[in-house]
């Protein structure tokens, strides 16, 4: 057990790190943020900050020497340099990062465990794309295998013809058939060092422009009917990876059952409602798991909960939110409200 007073290293410096650090502080831990950007909003609320590049092995090694455990808030941390950090300190392990960083390996991994992704094909050039569209059909979505998030690195293709004029990276893509879903949802679980797994209730998620807009509980009925099957897959993924911490899998609820979309080896935006809406938040349980503490109860506390992201200019609505007695406002402290940037979120409890 890593006792309160110890230092938890967090790789990544954004809002997830900020909320992890706040949960860790409540339990008496100190956090040390490692991030390449100097204006880290996680570092603002943490005891220590190393601002260095992901490939700076000397800096990573010094950072690890000062930490009793190391975790991540960002799944695209390059894996090779992490070899300088003793594997016993890392939770979850780097295998989870390797799988989740590549959409192709993620789909294959989940398929091997009995999961069903949308029909897909790897694309490493124009000929591959033509063949993929011929086999899978259009409409579909072409995605970069690596580093895409919040709808970035994605091209929606209505027809094979539309693919002709696109300026695409030469390789490292995957083409997916467009899934006709009834709703989207996520499974968020926490797995302890001793293998115990707990799930939070699954919210229904609505994305706009590829970015999560809202998570709602209770989820629509078509989601609720598919949660058990989706949980089985999520637990199998966690077990196959020997996972420790919070793990998220995103699904489409379709008339043929849950279709796997993607996984995140970390706390997740669709779990922010757990801060006020569950007995133990995803952030606290992640810290508990990483430190080998007993897990907290994940029960939902309110009959209706809605988490809304404040994106770009929407942050200006904050004053109105504070006038609502059922709303909890979270601002991440980002200085620049760029279009599409997650500035904060609001959780309404009913
Ligand atoms: P992703 O970054 O892959 O999670 O995609 C972001 C959002 O785009 C998803 O949550 C869906 O709303 C939509 N999307 C992505 N892939 C597909 C797909 N194959 N079929 C239908 N919608 C999709």
């Amino acid at each position: 057990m890593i006792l309160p007073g110890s230092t938890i290293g967090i790789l990544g410096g954004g809002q997830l790190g900020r909320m992890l650090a706040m949960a860790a502080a409540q339990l008496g831990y100190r956090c040390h943020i490692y991030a390449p950007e100097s204006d880290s909003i996680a570092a603002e609320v943490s005891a220590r900050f190393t601002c260095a590049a992901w490939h700076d092995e000397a800096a990573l090694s010094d950072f690890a020497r000062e930490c009793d455990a190391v975790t991540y808030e960002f799944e695209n941390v390059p894996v090779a340099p992490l070899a300088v950090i003793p594997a016993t300190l890392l939770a979850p392990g780097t295998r989870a990062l390797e799988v989740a960083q590549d959409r192709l390996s993620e789909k294959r991994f989940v398929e091997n465990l009995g999961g069903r992704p949308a029909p897909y094909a790897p694309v490493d050039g124009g000929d591959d794309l033509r063949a993929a569209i011929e086999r899978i059909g259009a409409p579909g979505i072409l995605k970069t295998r690596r580093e895409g998030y919040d709808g970035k690195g994605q091209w929606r293709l209505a027809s094979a013809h539309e693919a002709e004029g696109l300026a695409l990276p030469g390789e490292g893509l995957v083409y997916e058939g467009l899934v006709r879903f009834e709703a989207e949802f996520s499974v968020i679980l926490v797995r302890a060092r001793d293998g115990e797994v707990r799930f939070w209730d699954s919210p229904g998620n609505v994305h706009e422009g590829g970015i999560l807009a809202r998570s709602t509980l209770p989820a629509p009925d078509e989601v609720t009917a598919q949660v058990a099957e989706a949980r089985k897959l999520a637990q199998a993924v966690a077990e196959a990876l020997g996972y420790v911490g919070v793990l998220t899998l995103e699904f489409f609820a379709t008339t043929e059952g849950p279709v796997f979309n993607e996984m995140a080896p970390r706390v997740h935006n669709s779990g922010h409602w757990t801060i006020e809406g569950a007995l133990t938040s995803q952030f606290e349980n992640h810290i508990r798991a990483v430190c080998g503490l007993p897990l907290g109860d994940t029960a939902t506390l309110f009959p209706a909960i809605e988490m809304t992201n404040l994106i770009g200019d929407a942050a200006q609505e904050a004053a109105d939110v504070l006038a609502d007695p059922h709303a909890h406002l979270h601002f991440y402290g980002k200085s620049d409200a760029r279009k599409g940037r997650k500035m904060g979120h609001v959780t309404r409890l009913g």
Side-chain angles (χ1 to χ4, degrees), residues 311-336:
I311 296 172
D313 284 349
Q316 289 167 4
E317 294 160 22
D320 298 339
V321 171
L322 289 173
D324 176 349
H326 301 291
H328 290 264
L329 177 66
H330 295 254
F331 249 143
Y332 307 146
K334 294 180 184 177
S335 49
D336 186 10

Side-chain angles (χ1 to χ4, degrees), residues 1-336:
M1 200 183 281
I2 296 161
L3 293 172
S6 306
T7 299
I8 303 169
I10 299 176
L11 294 162
Q15 66 265 22
L16 300 179
R18 182 179 175 100
M19 289 184 271
L20 279 170
M22 285 157 67
Q26 187 187 329
L27 291 175
Y29 294 94
R30 300 158 60 81
C31 284
H32 185 158
I33 303 296
Y34 186 106
E37 68 274 5
S38 58
D39 58 344
S40 161
I41 54 169
E44 267 178 18
V45 301
S46 296
R48 297 224 41 203
F49 181 32
T50 297
C51 179
W54 292 127
H55 286 95
D56 187 339
E57 293 186 1
L60 276 171
S61 173
D62 289 346
F63 161 77
R65 256 197 301 279
E66 293 175 18
C67 296
D68 301 292
V70 176
T71 189
Y72 328 84
E73 66 103 48
F74 174 62
E75 72 267 38
N76 287 323
V77 178
V79 172
L82 298 182
V84 301
I85 301 180
T88 48
L89 287 190
L90 285 166
T94 51
R95 178 80 186 118
L97 288 187
E98 275 167 355
V99 170
Q101 284 179 358
D102 181 345
R103 288 187 189 274
L104 192 60
S105 60
E106 175 180 86
K107 289 176 196 300
R108 288 175 173 155
F109 188 81
V110 159
E111 260 180 335
N112 283 335
L113 294 169
R116 188 162 57 100
Y120 67 92
V123 170
D124 290 308
D127 290 346
D128 281 358
L129 182 56
R130 269 186 293 280
I133 297 178
E134 209 169 285
R135 180 166 70 77
I136 293 166
I141 308 187
L142 188 64
K143 299 179 179 177
T144 53
R145 279 170 58 177
R146 292 181 168 274
E147 309 241 328
Y149 68 99
D150 285 349
K152 295 183 179 76
Q154 300 192 2
W155 298 265
R156 284 189 179 230
L157 303 177
S159 64
H161 178 69
E162 239 183 63
E164 304 284 314
L166 278 182
L168 296 172
E171 55 182 16
L173 299 161
V174 58
Y175 180 74
E176 291 176 22
L178 197 74
V179 177
R180 284 176 218 291
F181 56 79
E182 303 188 292
E184 291 187 75
F185 68 102
S186 43
V187 171
I188 310 170
L189 66 76
V190 59
R191 187 168 184 270
R193 287 186 183 271
D194 66 3
E196 183 191 359
V197 170
R198 294 190 184 191
F199 299 94
W200 283 269
D201 281 338
S202 280
N205 300 326
V206 174
H207 293 80
E208 288 167 4
I211 306 179
L212 182 68
R214 255 179 330 281
S215 293
T216 309
L217 286 148
D221 290 346
E222 53 272 26
V223 167
T224 310
Q226 302 189 10
V227 165
E229 188 179 338
R231 280 186 176 181
K232 228 168 102 183
L233 178 64
Q235 182 156 356
V237 169
E239 269 152 21
L241 293 169
Y243 197 89
V244 172
V246 170
L247 171 72
T248 309
L249 268 72
E250 291 184 83
F251 292 90
F252 303 114
T254 75
T255 47
E256 278 105 58
V259 171
F260 167 80
N261 178 24
E262 63 177 353
M263 63 185 259
R266 54 168 169 78
V267 289
H268 195 258
N269 194 170
S270 64
H272 290 0
W273 64 272
T274 61
I275 296 176
E276 293 90 7
L279 258 171
T280 313
S281 77
Q282 60 167 349
F283 301 102
E284 179 175 339
N285 257 347
H286 184 77
I287 297 297
R288 289 190 190 210
V290 164
C291 294
L293 304 176
L295 297 179
D297 194 321
T298 51
T300 303
L301 293 170
F302 298 86
I305 299 173
E306 185 180 74
M307 188 291 304
T308 311
N309 272 334
L310 295 172
I311 296 172
D313 284 349
Q316 289 167 4
E317 294 160 22
D320 298 339
V321 171
L322 289 173
D324 176 349
H326 301 291
H328 290 264
L329 177 66
H330 295 254
F331 249 143
Y332 307 146
K334 294 180 184 177
S335 49
D336 186 10

